[in-house]
Amino acid sequence: MSSINADLHCHSNVSDGTLSPEAVAERAFNNGVRLWALTDHDEVGGQRRACEAANRLGMDYLTGSEISVTYAGKTVHIVGLGFDADNEQLVKGLADTRGGRERRAHEMAEDLAKVGIHGAFEGALKYVGNPDLISRTHFARYLVEIGLCADSHEVFRRYLVEGKPGYVGHRWATLGNAVRWITQAGGVAVIAHPGRYDFTPNEEHALFTEFKALGGEGVEVVTGSHTPDEYVKYADMARAFDLLASRGSDFHDPSESHIDLGALPDLPGKLTPVWEALSHRIVRA
């Protein structure tokens, strides 16, 4: 199973992707994915549709969600895999985490208006499949639509990040809460794309140490935003902390994403893939 084409991190329009769960499933299958998880932000509303679509196509499925966490003053993402998507504590925790997004979005729009960009909240809302999950990604699509930036990558260089117009911080779940919700629902908690967080070596070591102590079991080694050097670095981190290794594109949209579904290289050798530990939780096609 270690060389199976597994994509265990991607998004649909239930959060901030642009395709329906069914369309993401079809794209994944057509690109060679044989084990898939839909991991919408702070949400499990697309899980049943995703699983049914995957199994219809002949693709195995793991439940998933990407939980927003505040750690050391930064937003960190923890992916949960293989959990019971109907678990009451998990569902309530995700709902509480989503709760502040609309207020934050209004504050973002107000900050953009100060630099002459008006109507951003309404503009972003056009791209939102689930209003509870309005995010920076939706604002970025609006700024591209009005011609302010050529693409979302330019948006996140000029706007919506700390120190730039439109940035508003938000306190998410704690690391302990996120790991507990996932594990109590029978799943495995995974640190998503650790190369993105710009932590110092000491901060990163503290994150991995605390995550492990709380019951976290995995880390994304191969993911869309990691470089080949980071594949090696986080393979070493997985071995050093005795963590399972995960793999996922972080696909959101055919034109926006760093890499397409199913296009990642295999995990480096001498790692235990997270899906081997979750074999009993896979919904087989």
Side-chain angles (χ1 to χ4, degrees):
M1 289 181 67
S2 61
S3 62
I4 190 172
N5 192 340
D7 199 317
L8 305 181
H9 185 166
C10 64
H11 301 273
S12 75
N13 61 5
V14 175
S15 66
D16 60 345
T18 58
L19 305 180
S20 69
E22 293 83 1
V24 182
E26 185 172 1
R27 189 178 186 92
F29 182 76
N30 289 341
N31 287 0
V33 175
R34 291 301 173 262
L35 174 62
W36 177 54
L38 178 68
T39 58
D40 281 317
H41 288 283
D42 307 313
E43 178 62 271
V44 290
Q47 290 302 303
R48 194 177 307 279
R49 291 168 59 190
C51 183
E52 290 174 355
N55 287 175
R56 269 198 311 272
L57 290 161
M59 188 164 52
D60 293 342
Y61 189 75
L62 276 168
T63 52
S65 183
E66 185 176 15
I67 303 178
S68 307
V69 164
T70 300
Y71 182 83
K74 295 182 180 179
T75 298
V76 169
H77 291 146
I78 302 298
V79 165
L81 296 170
F83 50 74
D84 172 8
D86 296 318
N87 179 272
E88 187 175 336
Q89 284 184 303
L90 173 69
V91 171
K92 182 180 184 304
L94 295 179
D96 290 344
T97 301
R98 296 194 300 270
R101 285 182 181 264
E102 183 175 353
R103 181 178 64 253
R104 177 188 182 226
H106 280 291
E107 292 175 9
M108 291 165 65
E110 289 167 7
D111 200 55
L112 289 170
K114 293 175 183 175
V115 294
I117 305 168
H118 299 285
F121 179 81
E122 294 76 14
L125 208 56
K126 294 187 298 184
Y127 294 93
V128 178
N130 180 350
D132 287 343
L133 288 169
I134 188 168
S135 72
R136 294 187 309 154
T137 304
H138 302 116
F139 280 86
R141 290 177 186 145
Y142 174 66
L143 298 187
V144 172
E145 176 199 322
I146 63 175
L148 206 59
C149 297
D151 54 35
S152 61
H153 304 300
E154 183 183 351
V155 173
F156 289 119
R157 289 194 299 272
R158 297 175 55 194
Y159 302 95
L160 309 179
V161 295
E162 193 165 5
K164 303 292 184 180
Y167 175 77
V168 176
H170 185 82
R171 288 202 63 80
W172 306 110
T174 66
L175 182 62
N177 282 341
V179 173
R180 185 168 59 253
W181 296 334
I182 293 162
T183 56
Q184 288 181 350
V188 167
V190 175
I191 299 174
H193 41 59
R196 280 180 46 181
Y197 302 130
D198 197 28
F199 283 134
T200 67
N202 285 343
E203 288 171 335
E204 185 172 70
H205 190 273
L207 169 64
F208 274 70
T209 300
E210 185 173 346
F211 173 76
K212 177 79 174 181
L214 289 165
E217 296 182 71
V219 59
E220 280 184 355
V221 173
V222 176
T223 185
S225 56
H226 280 182
T227 65
D229 285 346
E230 286 172 328
Y231 301 159
V232 174
K233 173 182 176 179
Y234 291 107
D236 289 343
M237 294 283 278
R239 286 187 283 267
F241 283 87
D242 192 25
L243 294 172
L244 302 164
S246 194
R247 174 181 188 270
S249 59
D250 199 8
F251 174 87
H252 286 72
D253 171 83
S255 62
E256 293 177 0
S257 298
H258 290 283
I259 197 165
D260 207 345
L261 289 149
L264 290 169
D266 289 340
L267 290 172
K270 298 183 181 178
L271 297 172
T272 302
V274 66
W275 54 88
E276 290 190 1
L278 284 168
S279 60
H280 62 297
R281 301 306 300 260
I282 295 172
V283 182
R284 308 285 178 180

